[in-house]
Every structure is written in structure tokens, then in C-alpha cells.
Amino acid sequence: MQDAGLITDVNTLAERLKWARETIACLSQEELARRAGVSQGTIGNIEAGTRRNPRDLLEIAKAVGVHAEWLKSGRGPVRLLGSPESASAIGREAAAQAALPSSREIDLDNNPDYPAVRRATIKAGAGITGFAIDYEHSGAGDGAPIVFRRDWYERHGYRPDRMIAMRVHGASMEPTLYDGDLIVVNMDSTTPKDGVAFLVLYEGEPVVKRLMRDAGAWWLASDNPDQRRYPRKLCDDATRIVGEVVYRQSERV
């Protein structure tokens, strides 16, 4: 029997908005903000999951060409046909609906249309990278890999075999990432970026931190506002960047 998994990458308002913006409307955050009459920060906060009940939801939904109820809850029809703001998207109706993730089972055995990202744990190790990857068995339950459509990888230039999925532990990155959230890490992206979240190996432990550039040095910063409990730490020679966090799946609404 072949392993199977579920496509579940539009479970939240943040994920639905990003999907609709990129797939249906083909807009940048700035373009969507201008079209909806809101700030770019509003769009960014919604897609980051830090703003869950926007007052401008109806205007934003119209701007990306979807029903507000679907954008809010995931229920009901998706596309808002005849929307003047998304006239170019109407011609892509069939393609957009085909791209919409669903709860149907997907064959993960060398499926070229839905490449899988395997679950893994990171351990300190010898060698150039300074860490080892322990892949989990791709069965049912928490060890099952995550699948995305092939065009998602192509759009971002990702390689599935260079990506891993793992659970977040602890509260240091709240409210951006919560304990138990599932993240996908792109191991091809190891060049430090100011303000970007990375999975790093620090003092022998894998942690998710936001890299910050200050006074000519790189620091590991937590998003949790309790800076006494989660102070920033200076990157040293033993710090290893595993990869950039490029996707989050959360059960928190």
C-alpha cells in the first residue's frame, strides 16, 4: 500500500489570503493593499497570522476576487465571478480552481505533481555543516510528509529534496510561531537576511530565530515581547544556519 498525505495549506485566513493573492489575483502585497484601500502592513500582518479579524475583510476579499465568507472561514464558494478588480483572474478560473488545495488524499510515492517535503529532526553533528538530518518515517500521523503543488515550488525556486518539515517547540517566537506549529525550512537558503526567520543550530540545539543585523554583527532574536525571558543572542562561530523558514501551518485561529 502506498503512503498518502493531505494537502492542507489553506487552513487559515493567512494562508487563504496569500493563496488567493498569488494564485487568483496575481498581486503583490503592495498592489493588493492599494487596490483594497488598506496599508501594506495590514496585508502583511494578516498573511503573517498576527491579525485575525481585519475590519477591511470585505474590501480585501473583493480585491483578490474571492467571497469574504470563504476568506474568513474557508466555507462556501471561492471565486467571486464578475469582480471588476480581478478581471484578469476570471480568465484563469479553471486553472485557479484546479490549483486550490483540498482534503483529498494524494499519492506521495514519486508524485511529480505533488512533491513531498519530508518530516525531519536536526541534531548536532560533525562535518562542514555541523549538523545531521534525521528523516522520519513517511507513514500516517505526525510523521507524514507535507505535499504542495509542483507550481508552488517552481514559483519560489524551491527544491523539495532540499526542504524539511518540523514542529516548533517553545514560546520564544510567539506570536509569529506557536508551540506545535509546523514549519517548512528551505535548506538552500543559508545566507543571513536581516529580519528573516531561520532554523539555526545554537549551542547544539535547533531553534527558530529571527536574524538581526546590529553594530556589524548578527544576532538571534525572538519574536516574543518578553525580552527578559527571551533575550537576543550573538551569533558565534559555532552557530550554524540550517535554512530559512518559508512556510508555517498552524492550528491556532
Side-chain angles (χ1 to χ4, degrees):
M1 183 175 178
Q2 295 175 323
D3 294 330
L6 295 177
I7 296 180
T8 56
D9 54 350
V10 289
N11 288 332
T12 66
L13 168 62
E15 292 159 354
R16 285 189 291 272
L17 177 58
K18 184 175 182 180
W19 177 86
R21 176 176 62 79
E22 294 180 345
T23 306
I24 293 182
C26 293
L27 297 173
S28 66
Q29 288 188 353
E30 182 179 3
E31 290 169 333
L32 173 56
R34 184 166 57 251
R35 181 171 292 182
V38 300
S39 68
Q40 183 177 351
T42 295
I43 302 300
N45 288 337
I46 296 174
E47 293 190 0
T50 58
R51 186 170 180 179
R52 300 181 177 87
N53 296 295
R55 292 177 297 176
D56 307 299
L57 183 67
L58 180 60
E59 289 75 11
I60 294 171
K62 288 181 179 179
V64 292
V66 299
H67 287 275
E69 179 58 33
W70 176 83
L71 186 61
K72 179 181 179 181
S73 66
R75 295 188 294 268
V78 180
R79 280 283 290 111
L80 187 63
L81 295 178
S83 172
E85 294 87 357
S86 56
S88 61
I90 295 177
R92 297 190 299 275
E93 172 68 15
Q97 291 294 348
L100 180 63
S102 65
S103 296
R104 61 191 178 87
E105 290 190 348
I106 298 297
D107 178 14
L108 301 184
D109 188 12
N110 299 317
N111 190 326
D113 294 322
Y114 295 93
V117 175
R118 298 173 63 186
R119 303 286 186 100
T121 55
I122 300 295
K123 300 178 180 179
I128 298 176
T129 61
F131 61 87
I133 304 172
D134 185 12
Y135 289 101
E136 299 180 14
H137 295 292
S138 58
D142 204 51
I146 300 179
V147 294
F148 298 92
R149 285 184 62 99
R150 181 181 59 193
D151 55 6
W152 181 77
Y153 298 99
E154 294 174 346
R155 184 166 66 249
H156 296 286
Y158 298 151
R159 295 188 296 165
D161 61 321
R162 292 291 298 158
M163 306 179 83
I164 58 173
M166 60 189 301
R167 292 286 180 186
V168 173
H169 297 288
S172 69
M173 291 300 288
E174 292 181 4
T176 306
L177 296 171
Y178 288 89
D179 184 70
D181 282 358
L182 189 66
I183 59 172
V184 172
V185 178
N186 178 22
M187 295 187 295
D188 277 339
S189 178
T190 58
T191 300
K193 301 176 185 177
D194 191 16
V196 175
F198 284 85
L199 176 66
V200 302
L201 199 68
Y202 182 78
E203 296 183 343
E205 296 293 330
V207 294
V208 176
K209 295 294 178 183
R210 198 169 300 280
L211 289 183
M212 306 295 292
R213 187 70 171 174
D214 186 26
W218 286 102
W219 297 79
L220 301 177
S222 300
D223 286 357
N224 195 304
D226 187 353
Q227 294 300 302
R228 288 188 176 183
R229 187 177 180 185
Y230 303 104
R232 69 175 187 172
K233 298 179 180 180
L234 182 66
C235 292
D236 55 26
D237 292 338
T239 304
R240 294 290 180 267
I241 297 179
V242 178
E244 181 182 348
V245 178
V246 298
Y247 175 83
R248 179 199 68 167
Q249 182 174 302
S250 177
E251 295 183 358
R252 294 183 66 95
V253 178

